[in-house]
Amino acid sequence: MEDLSDILRKGIKASISAKEKMLDGSHIIDALSQAVNKIVDVYDKDGKVLFCGNGGSAADAQHLAAELSGRYYFDRPPLNAEAMHVNTSYLTAVANDYSYEEVYSRYLRGVGKKGDVLMAFSTSGNSSNVVRAIEVAKKMDIFVIGFTGGKQGEMDGLCDIILKAPSTDTARIQECHIMLGHLICEQVESHLFKS
């Protein structure tokens, strides 16, 4: 039987390996730079950033929305950022009265506007409610930044920018997503509030 210490080391190595793969090619760095520049531009034009995802991806979405609306490295004015799943009464009502597939797209139609950004998280790239939100965002002229995993998914052809974590393991993908999200928050804050 494999030693627990060895199993834990393998998990850490797998996480590091996924992150190192993002450095091998320039496409992820280019996409990340484009995402930062787009969000800075949206905030300069008084827009907002909306987030969606399911399960661990919802937790990542909420975490990153809090980094923007609260603070990241230093005290500064809040930024308009919202995870669209935090109102559980809305979420459960729409899931019950319409379908779970509609929870994000319906909310987006209510609060989103042309020129906003939607940051959409799905490790598979195929979550039906996230894909539906992206489709509605495109009709509303809302810019979409997608976070997915290494496999091809529905989101690949729909997002304006796609940040694909180079893994097929859900945990490793989410670890990459939160790191990429943190880098975006750090650079958005830095660009908007330089001293």
Side-chain angles (χ1 to χ4, degrees):
M1 186 170 174
E2 194 170 14
D3 181 59
L4 178 59
S5 297
D6 292 335
I7 294 169
L8 296 173
R9 281 187 182 88
K10 282 182 182 177
I12 293 169
K13 285 179 182 178
S15 184
I16 291 168
S17 176
K19 292 173 178 131
E20 284 179 336
K21 286 177 186 173
M22 289 191 285
L23 291 172
D24 289 344
S26 62
H27 80 281
I28 194 86
I29 303 301
D30 291 343
L32 200 55
S33 297
Q34 291 171 28
V36 168
N37 290 331
K38 181 61 181 179
I39 294 170
V40 167
D41 183 57
V42 165
Y43 280 132
D44 279 340
K45 295 176 180 168
D46 203 30
K48 64 184 163 299
V49 180
L50 298 163
F51 293 79
C52 65
N54 297 297
S57 294
D60 288 344
Q62 188 170 343
H63 177 151
L64 296 171
E67 302 287 22
L68 292 173
S69 60
R71 57 168 290 181
Y72 193 73
Y73 272 132
F74 53 85
D75 193 31
R76 41 84 175 164
L79 295 167
N80 193 349
E82 179 181 0
M84 297 191 294
H85 63 276
V86 297
N87 182 338
T88 55
S89 295
Y90 164 84
L91 195 73
T92 55
V94 171
N96 184 62
D97 296 346
Y98 297 93
S99 74
Y100 191 64
E101 186 176 278
E102 296 298 315
V103 294
Y104 292 134
S105 56
R106 185 170 178 82
Y107 195 85
L108 190 62
R109 287 195 301 272
V111 303
K113 68 181 189 321
K114 179 179 178 175
D116 287 342
V117 167
L118 173 65
M119 292 180 69
F121 292 77
S122 170
T123 59
S124 69
N126 296 315
S127 301
S128 60
N129 59 342
V130 174
V131 170
R132 180 79 182 112
I134 294 168
E135 292 168 345
V136 167
K138 301 307 292 175
K139 290 177 185 171
M140 295 177 67
D141 204 15
I142 292 172
F143 194 88
V144 180
I145 301 170
F147 290 75
T148 67
K151 289 184 179 175
Q152 194 76 6
E154 289 182 62
M155 287 173 57
D156 289 29
L158 297 174
C159 298
D160 296 296
I161 295 172
I162 191 94
L163 296 165
K164 294 179 75 66
S167 178
T168 56
D169 182 308
T170 299
R172 304 295 83 86
I173 294 167
Q174 289 173 338
E175 289 161 6
C176 289
H177 286 176
I178 200 64
M179 182 193 70
L180 294 170
H182 274 161
L183 289 169
I184 289 170
C185 292
E186 176 184 331
Q187 290 307 307
V188 166
E189 182 180 74
S190 176
H191 282 69
L192 288 171
F193 303 103
K194 289 177 184 168
S195 55

